[in-house]
Amino acid sequence: MYETAKPAWMLGPVREPFDRDVSRRIDVLRIILIGLIVLAHGARGITVRVPATGPVAGWMVETLNGHVDFVAVPLFFTISGFLFLRKFELSAASYGEMLRKKFVSLLIPYLLFNIGLAVWFYFVGSIEMMGSWGYLVQEGIVTKTLGLGTTPINYPLWFLRDLLVVFILSPVLLLFFKEAPGVGLATLFCLWVGVNPAPYSYYGDFFMFYLGGYLARTRFPLQGISWWQRWGTLLFILLTAALVAHKQLGITDEHARLFLFKCNLILGLACFWRISAIPFVRDSRVLHRMARHSFFVYLAHEPTVSILQTRLLAIWQPVGNAQQIAFYWLSGLTVIVLLWGVGEGLSRVVPKVYAVATGARLPAAVLSRG
C-alpha cells in the first residue's frame, strides 16, 4: 500500500504499473469529452443565431450545455492530475524537466492556434461570434494572444492557459500530499465552493487536479464497475434533473443552486467514468483511433464550428424542435469527424509539423527517418 518509511496518512508516489483497464477508459474519455465541448460551443447555433428556439430543443440544450457538458473540463483536470501527480516528486531537475515538457505540449499549441486565428482575422476576415481584426486591435493583440486577464483569441483555449498555471504551481499540491492530504482536499473544495461562484475558476481547477492526484496516491479502486460509480451515476442524473427544474422545485437561492451545481460536477466524474466502462465504449477501435487526434479537434474546433454554422444558416434556417435538434447534432458531429480526418491526414503528410502544433510525440518511425 503506502511506503513504510512514512506514516499511512502521508501519501507517497505510486510505483506500480499503470492499470490497462484504467488506461483504456481514460483514452476513450478524451475524445468523448472533446466531443461534448464541440457540441456545447456549437449550441449557439440554435440559442443565439436562430430567432426562436423550440421548447424541446431548448430543454435539450439546457440539460446538455447547462449541466452535462460542464463536467468535461473538471474531468480533464482530474485526469491530468491523476496522470501527473501519481508519480511526480519535486526536485529542481524534475521540476525543470516538467516545465520544458509542458512548454512543448501546452504553451506552443496554445500560442500557435491563437496566432493562427489572428492571422486569419487579418488576411481572411472576421469569424462570426469569435471576433475580427479590429476587435483584436482594440482589446490588445498581445493581451488576447496570451489571454492575460481575459479569454484568448481562440477562447476555448483558456483551459490550456489555466492548466499550465496549475502545473507551474503544482509543488504546492505536493506539500499537502506529504503533510496532510485530506486537509488539502477539503481546503481546495471549500475554496472552490466558497470563494468564487463561477463553476470554472482557478480554485476549481486546483481542486479537480488535486482530486485526481489524491485518487491515484490513495490507490482508489478505479478498475471495473464499483458501487460508487453506480450511485454516482444515479445521483448525477437525479440532481441534474432537479437543477434543470430548480425554479419549479422552489430552489430560488442562487448560492444554494451553485453549491449543488458544483457538487453535481463531482458526481458527473463518477457518471462518465461509469460510461467509460461500457464494453462497446471502452473497447471501441474507432474511439481509440479518434482519441489520437482529440487534442487537434479541441484546438481547431471553435473557428470550424462557427464557420460551418454560418455557411449552413445561410441556406437553412432550422425551424421547430426537430430541425433545431438535427442542426445541433449535425453541425457538431460533422466538425468532430471532419477535424479527426484532417488530423489523420496531417499526421501522415506533415508529421513533424503536426507534432509541434499539437505538442505530440513523433512516432519512432518518423524519428528514425530524420
Side-chain angles (χ1 to χ4, degrees):
M1 291 294 291
Y2 305 111
E3 293 183 346
T4 56
K6 298 178 180 179
W9 49 270
M10 285 184 169
L11 303 184
V14 177
R15 303 299 184 188
E16 57 263 28
F18 204 75
D19 184 81
R20 176 173 170 77
D21 176 71
V22 173
S23 177
R24 291 182 65 80
R25 291 165 71 171
I26 288 176
D27 196 39
V28 296
L29 278 176
R30 285 160 53 197
I31 188 60
I32 291 173
L33 298 177
I34 291 297
L36 290 178
I37 291 172
V38 174
L39 290 169
H41 292 156
R44 292 177 304 175
I46 60 175
T47 59
V48 178
R49 298 179 179 182
V50 174
T53 304
V56 178
W59 174 84
M60 179 194 72
V61 171
E62 168 64 16
T63 302
L64 294 179
N65 281 39
H67 297 85
V68 177
D69 292 349
F70 262 91
V71 181
V73 169
L75 185 47
F76 267 124
F77 273 106
T78 304
I79 290 173
S80 298
F82 179 86
L83 297 174
F84 175 72
L85 292 173
R86 65 193 303 268
K87 285 189 176 182
F88 184 64
E89 285 285 271
L90 184 61
S91 68
S94 62
Y95 185 68
E97 178 64 13
M98 181 271 289
L99 291 182
R100 184 192 68 80
K101 290 181 178 179
K102 299 311 173 186
F103 174 84
V104 172
S105 63
L106 296 178
L107 185 59
I108 289 179
Y110 175 82
L111 293 175
L112 286 177
F113 278 81
N114 275 311
I115 293 171
L117 195 54
V119 171
W120 177 285
F121 288 158
Y122 185 82
F123 287 103
V124 181
S126 63
I127 297 177
E128 188 177 357
M129 303 197 71
M130 285 206 71
S132 63
W133 180 254
Y135 167 77
L136 190 56
V137 172
Q138 178 182 344
E139 294 293 312
I141 297 177
V142 174
T143 298
K144 291 295 288 183
T145 300
L146 298 178
L148 299 175
T150 183
T151 54
I153 303 171
N154 194 344
Y155 74 86
L157 303 193
W158 67 264
F159 169 77
L160 299 185
R161 176 201 62 196
D162 286 17
L163 183 58
L164 188 59
V165 171
V166 172
F167 276 118
I168 292 173
L169 298 179
S170 59
V172 177
L173 304 181
L174 290 181
L175 294 178
F176 278 120
F177 281 136
K178 290 180 178 298
E179 301 298 334
V183 172
L185 191 67
T187 300
L188 291 172
F189 176 77
C190 291
L191 288 173
W192 178 41
V193 300
V195 176
N196 192 325
Y200 296 158
S201 66
Y202 278 116
Y203 299 108
D205 299 342
F206 275 96
F207 168 71
M208 292 295 178
F209 193 83
Y210 184 90
L211 174 62
Y214 187 86
L215 294 175
R217 293 196 174 211
T218 56
R219 280 73 168 178
F220 191 81
L222 296 173
Q223 303 88 345
I225 303 172
S226 303
W227 64 269
W228 62 269
Q229 297 177 48
R230 298 188 182 95
W231 277 102
T233 299
L234 176 61
L235 292 174
F236 176 70
I237 293 172
L238 294 175
L239 188 50
T240 297
L243 288 169
V244 171
H246 71 278
K247 293 181 180 178
Q248 293 84 343
L249 295 175
I251 305 175
T252 57
D253 184 88
E254 186 62 9
H255 293 289
R257 188 192 71 82
L258 288 172
F259 175 77
L260 291 174
F261 184 91
K262 291 180 179 181
C263 290
N264 202 37
L265 293 182
I266 299 175
L267 294 173
L269 306 186
C271 178
F272 277 97
W273 191 248
R274 171 65 183 88
I275 291 172
S276 71
I278 300 173
F280 73 82
V281 174
R282 181 195 60 214
D283 302 327
S284 170
R285 293 184 179 181
V286 174
L287 290 178
H288 282 285
R289 189 176 183 91
M290 293 178 73
R292 301 176 194 171
H293 304 287
S294 58
F295 192 42
F296 175 75
V297 175
Y298 164 72
L299 290 167
H301 80 272
E302 179 52 36
T304 308
V305 168
S306 296
I307 293 171
L308 174 64
Q309 289 190 340
T310 298
R311 299 293 187 270
L312 276 176
L313 290 172
I315 59 176
W316 174 32
Q317 281 290 320
V319 178
N321 292 302
Q323 290 189 31
Q324 290 169 2
I325 292 172
F327 182 87
Y328 173 91
W329 290 101
L330 176 64
S331 59
L333 294 176
T334 298
V335 168
I336 295 169
V337 174
L338 173 65
L339 291 179
W340 168 39
V342 172
E344 288 276 8
L346 291 176
S347 65
R348 296 182 183 186
V349 176
V350 284
K352 293 184 179 180
V353 174
Y354 182 79
V356 171
T358 60
R361 294 180 180 178
L362 282 168
V366 175
L367 292 173
S368 64
R369 293 199 297 267

